[in-house]
Amino acid sequence: CINVKRHRVLNNKGILSLRLFLKSGNNSRKRADLLRKWNIFHSYGEGGMYQPFSIPSEPQLVSIGRNVNIAANVRFITHDVIQSMLRDMNDPQYPCGDNQFYMGKIQILDNCVIGANVTLLYNIKIGPNAVVAAGSVVTKDVPEGAIVGGNPAKVIGFLSELAARRAETCKDRPWDREDKEALKQYFWGKKDG
């Protein structure tokens, strides 16, 4: 039995995206809470943030773990349209069967960061404890603790190394984004050598 409200929401992605924008404003943590409350994805763990205003075509094929931070303009590609091309070719050399789309799931495990403008293709699993660099195209699984980047995304480092570097280099950095004077002094007050 399909939930009628969920079915209506899933068939009206534009309306859902507009509701998401209006109800959450610029608060990406509130946006994640709304997506959990509305039961949009297959599963969505606690915490983290969701900055995109768009919803994947088949959100029921997307699973998001706990403490997952998803930056702006991330695209979840849960299907392709190759079947449509094959069907319209009507060529026995390229049989298409009866499928309209080839679909697959996207799994993001706990404690991950997905950078801005990332494209996630179907049939992948990310993490746990992984980072996908901004602008990457993820075409295959991302190992636990890895940092990946590029098109197609490849391992470029590990979260443990990044965390150690950040712990060392961020000791004296300002942390309050609202303290504009401290930010100005820290980033622009020094002479670059």
Side-chain angles (χ1 to χ4, degrees), residues 48-111:
M49 63 183 194
Y50 187 90
Q51 289 185 335
F53 286 108
S54 63
I55 304 298
S57 296
E58 294 85 24
Q60 66 276 17
L61 295 177
V62 177
S63 172
I64 300 171
R66 292 186 320 271
N67 190 34
V68 172
N69 294 286
I70 300 172
N73 301 319
V74 170
R75 300 282 315 248
F76 297 85
I77 308 299
T78 52
H79 72 268
D80 64 33
V81 295
I82 295 170
Q83 283 300 111
S84 297
M85 177 195 67
L86 293 171
R87 184 189 63 240
D88 292 345
M89 286 171 57
N90 196 23
D91 186 332
Q93 185 176 350
Y94 305 104
C96 71
D98 293 331
N99 295 320
Q100 293 299 312
F101 294 108
Y102 182 87
M103 293 184 278
K105 64 185 180 181
I106 297 171
Q107 294 177 277
I108 305 172
L109 302 179
D110 296 345
N111 305 313

Side-chain angles (χ1 to χ4, degrees), residues 144-161:
E144 179 175 352
I147 300 172
V148 299
N151 180 6
K154 294 182 179 2
V155 174
I156 58 175
F158 294 92
L159 183 59
S160 57
E161 297 165 353

Side-chain angles (χ1 to χ4, degrees), residues 2 6 63 104 111 122 124 133 149 162 186:
I2 189 165
R6 179 178 170 149
S63 172
N111 305 313
Y122 53 79
I124 61 164
L162 175 63
Y186 183 83

